[in-house]
Amino acid sequence: MNPLACRLWRIVAWLALLLLAGLARADPPPDAGERIFRQGTLASGEPLQAIRDGGMRMEGQAAACMNCHRRSGLGARAGLTAIPPITGRYLFHPRASNPDDLDLPFVDGIRIDREPYTEATLARAIRSGLDSEGRPLSYLMPHFALDDADMAALIGFLKRLDARTLPGVDGTMLHFATIITPDADPVKRQGMLDVLQHYFADKNAFPLGPTPRLRASRSMMFMVNRRWQLHVWELSGAPSAWQAQLQKHLAEQPVLAVVSGLGGSNWAPVHAFCEQAAVPCLFPNVEVPAEEGKGFYSLYFSNGVTLEAQLMARSILRGQDGKAVGPVLQVYREGDSGDAGARALAAALMPAGVTVSNRVLKAHESIASALRKVPKGNVLVLWLRPPDVAALGGSPPPGTTVLMSGLMGGLEHTPVPAGWRAVTELAYPVDLPERRRVRVDYALGWFTIRRIPLVAEQVQADTFLACGLLAETLNHMADTFQRDYLVERVEDMIERRVITGYYPRLTLAPGQRFASKGGYMVRFSGPDGARVAAEGDWTVP
């Protein structure tokens, strides 16, 4: 090649590289639309800018589409205002004058009597607040500053957001799993499975005819005929092996959600799996929910021993009336849930400068040996199971304040020896027995009719409650079996639940993962010390 031709080739190659680099910069990364929708972050990394009627400015996370239209994109109801769905098939559907002429599942806020959006009119709606026919949208809809590349990324994401292939759903069946870790209590395991299996059998007991053609009418929203199939995923081995086992289970049989479940002292790998796999995990029976409720897909009835630790910390600090708090000694068995409770209590007391020490019992050690040299004036916190509680002996050292985990010990059935009862306070993160009786009796009657042995009342009542919440939520989802939407509907509906089992009230605002947020500190009362009485009102730490 002569020198001139070689130089021209280099110039052409250099220009081509510049053009490709420019195109690479112009094209946002594949997840750019999702980042705009969920995080309020543009492809450049700059915060999304928006302005509402009246001049109110928003940026970044505060401007993210997800805040109003929810993670699913299927909208929500804010007071009397319905936020419409903005996934692809709801934006681009043909106009219909009659709801029964539209083959779309019913969702609150659906707009059927307008022209379908095009990409151009949708971009106008996002930037200028005008609908597909040029009419102003609600004043709640901000006007967003998006260039063409970011707009294309966002619209592309809205089209992909509305998945037509639904994991765990087919024409006749809804598939669910329950997860059991190897350190779960075998008695509780059987009690939970009895409830789940009977509940699923009841759901499938009535003959189901063919599902009618689904329409968007409110009158048709409950007409979805599918059976429920339960898959029991029992884990084995060390926690480090659980994720691979769960991935294998999910690959072999996709499920719409995990319902209930049972763990021991470590639920963190299961929590992480459900978040990574985007599988709703609805109200497992665990004493140590992972990650302090972080994430989206895992919902819990309460924060377990961490909530108990917060209740104990308030009791310890309030009971001193401004005086210095004596040293706190915590006793728990190695590898049990008390480890997490002890860490949470120490963290809660640290800002007050309280000295906290731990006595960790090995498997072979007796509780008597741990308490042989407890100094007078200590606050003694016991994170123990019933056998250890029953073996405490005669009475605590004089002047000792005793606090105990109700969840681990058995709530009002905790076998506290007579010599300890007068000085022991129990953390009690559920409603009092006489107040919850009516709410629990429904489940107990259901168990009796089906001859389900009552072996672990709270676990079985919570499992029944989880199944009931799932059934009510699915009834209001019509055929929109989208996992994110399932979680959102649980959030919206749970506070309207009348029968709440062990809990006085259940609520889940967006972002909250613990439905019951408080509890009591109780003492044993009555002539024989067989009842419990609250030391104060229901407290939310």
Side-chain angles (χ1 to χ4, degrees):
M1 184 181 294
N2 63 51
L4 179 59
C6 185
R7 180 184 294 177
L8 287 174
W9 183 88
R10 287 196 187 101
I11 290 173
V12 170
W14 180 68
L15 289 173
L17 286 173
L18 284 179
L19 178 60
L20 288 173
L23 289 173
R25 283 194 300 270
D27 275 343
D31 63 341
E34 181 177 357
R35 290 172 59 203
I36 294 168
F37 182 87
R38 292 184 175 159
Q39 302 170 19
T41 304
L42 302 176
S44 65
E46 294 296 312
L48 174 64
Q49 304 288 330
I51 186 169
R52 273 207 176 108
D53 287 351
M56 186 178 78
R57 295 184 177 277
M58 300 175 293
E59 70 173 29
Q61 185 67 61
C65 314
M66 183 178 77
N67 292 331
C68 292
H69 296 281
R70 308 294 287 272
R71 185 184 182 92
S72 67
L74 293 174
R77 180 167 287 280
L80 299 177
T81 302
I83 308 298
I86 56 169
T87 63
R89 60 175 169 169
Y90 288 94
L91 289 171
F92 302 113
H93 68 75
R95 187 182 192 121
S97 56
N98 186 336
D100 291 341
D101 293 335
L102 193 64
D103 286 323
L104 280 176
F106 176 81
V107 176
D108 260 342
I110 184 174
R111 307 285 197 264
I112 64 167
D113 58 345
R114 57 155 171 75
E115 290 300 313
Y117 279 98
T118 64
E119 291 192 6
T121 58
L122 181 56
R124 181 182 67 182
I126 294 169
R127 288 179 176 135
S128 306
L130 300 175
D131 72 6
S132 60
E133 298 174 338
R135 298 172 300 189
L137 293 167
S138 166
Y139 72 95
L140 294 173
M141 174 66 178
H143 302 172
F144 295 90
L146 289 172
D147 64 23
D148 289 345
D150 283 324
M151 182 65 75
L154 176 58
I155 292 174
F157 176 71
L158 295 179
K159 291 179 177 179
R160 297 192 306 275
L161 188 57
D162 193 11
R164 301 301 177 92
T165 303
L166 304 168
V169 179
D170 58 41
T172 60
M173 193 76 70
L174 299 177
H175 294 270
F176 300 96
T178 196
I179 298 172
I180 303 172
T181 64
D183 57 345
D185 183 299
V187 174
K188 294 179 179 178
R189 170 194 173 278
Q190 189 56 53
M192 179 195 72
L193 288 178
D194 279 346
V195 174
L196 284 170
Q197 288 163 354
H198 278 83
Y199 199 99
F200 275 60
D202 274 13
K203 289 295 295 182
N204 297 330
F206 299 100
L208 301 177
T211 300
R213 187 173 75 90
L214 188 69
R215 296 166 180 158
S217 166
R218 285 180 180 270
S219 64
M220 298 290 288
M221 64 183 291
F222 295 103
M223 313 263 312
V224 179
N225 296 337
R226 285 184 175 86
R227 300 172 69 83
W228 288 20
Q229 178 67 49
L230 178 66
H231 304 274
V232 181
W233 294 350
E234 300 219 39
L235 305 180
S236 61
S240 59
W242 296 354
Q243 288 246 9
Q245 294 173 40
L246 290 168
Q247 289 166 358
K248 184 173 183 291
H249 281 305
L250 188 63
E252 291 174 350
Q253 177 54 68
V255 296
L256 178 60
V258 172
V259 58
S260 193
L262 185 66
S265 61
N266 186 4
W267 189 254
V270 181
H271 179 103
F273 165 78
C274 291
E275 294 301 321
Q276 292 165 12
V279 177
C281 183
L282 306 179
F283 309 110
N285 297 289
V286 290
E287 295 168 343
V288 190
E291 299 285 332
E292 287 295 316
K294 293 178 182 176
F296 176 79
Y297 294 98
S298 296
L299 305 179
Y300 302 93
F301 282 128
S302 89
N303 202 1
V305 294
T306 299
L307 174 56
E308 288 192 311
Q310 294 165 345
L311 292 168
M312 290 179 183
R314 286 175 64 94
S315 177
I316 291 170
L317 298 175
R318 185 177 61 246
Q320 302 306 308
D321 296 325
K323 301 175 185 177
V325 178
V328 173
L329 173 63
Q330 304 191 91
V331 181
Y332 58 91
R333 288 223 172 255
E334 185 177 44
D336 206 351
S337 302
D339 184 6
R343 282 186 277 109
L345 180 55
L349 294 175
M350 184 182 298
V354 179
T355 302
V356 180
S357 59
N358 298 328
R359 178 73 170 87
V360 185
L361 297 175
K362 303 291 185 181
H364 64 277
E365 287 186 271
S366 69
I367 184 63
S369 66
L371 300 179
R372 195 165 289 138
K373 296 181 180 180
V374 176
K376 294 181 180 180
N378 260 40
V379 177
L380 181 61
V381 180
L382 303 178
W383 303 93
L384 300 175
R385 300 289 175 189
D388 280 330
V389 175
L392 284 171
S395 60
T400 301
T401 299
V402 181
L403 304 179
M404 197 175 294
S405 165
L407 281 180
M408 295 181 64
L411 296 177
E412 66 274 11
H413 303 297
T414 303
V416 179
W420 289 71
R421 292 202 164 208
V423 296
T424 297
E425 281 189 69
L426 216 60
Y428 205 84
V430 295
D431 209 355
L432 298 172
E434 64 273 14
R435 296 181 182 177
R436 69 174 188 253
R437 184 170 295 116
V438 173
R439 299 192 304 272
V440 175
D441 275 354
Y442 183 87
L444 298 182
W446 191 87
F447 301 158
T448 300
I449 292 169
R450 286 151 186 83
R451 299 179 182 176
I452 298 174
L454 191 63
V455 296
E457 183 178 288
Q458 186 187 356
V459 165
Q460 290 173 285
D462 281 0
T463 301
F464 180 75
L465 179 57
C467 290
L469 288 166
L470 174 62
E472 289 182 11
T473 302
L474 292 174
N475 280 345
H476 286 79
M477 289 177 65
D479 210 26
T480 314
F481 295 119
Q482 202 249 47
R483 286 170 171 172
D484 290 3
Y485 189 52
L486 172 59
V487 175
E488 292 162 5
R489 292 301 295 169
V490 173
E491 289 177 345
D492 292 341
M493 294 180 59
I494 193 169
E495 67 178 317
R496 297 194 290 273
R497 175 79 179 185
V498 175
I499 298 176
T500 53
Y502 267 64
Y503 310 97
R505 189 184 178 202
L506 299 173
T507 58
L508 281 172
Q512 293 180 346
R513 302 297 93 181
F514 303 119
S516 180
K517 302 166 181 66
Y520 298 99
M521 294 300 295
V522 305
R523 287 187 183 274
F524 291 95
S525 67
D528 55 357
R531 292 184 303 229
V532 292
E535 287 288 276
D537 295 330
W538 177 266
T539 300
V540 178

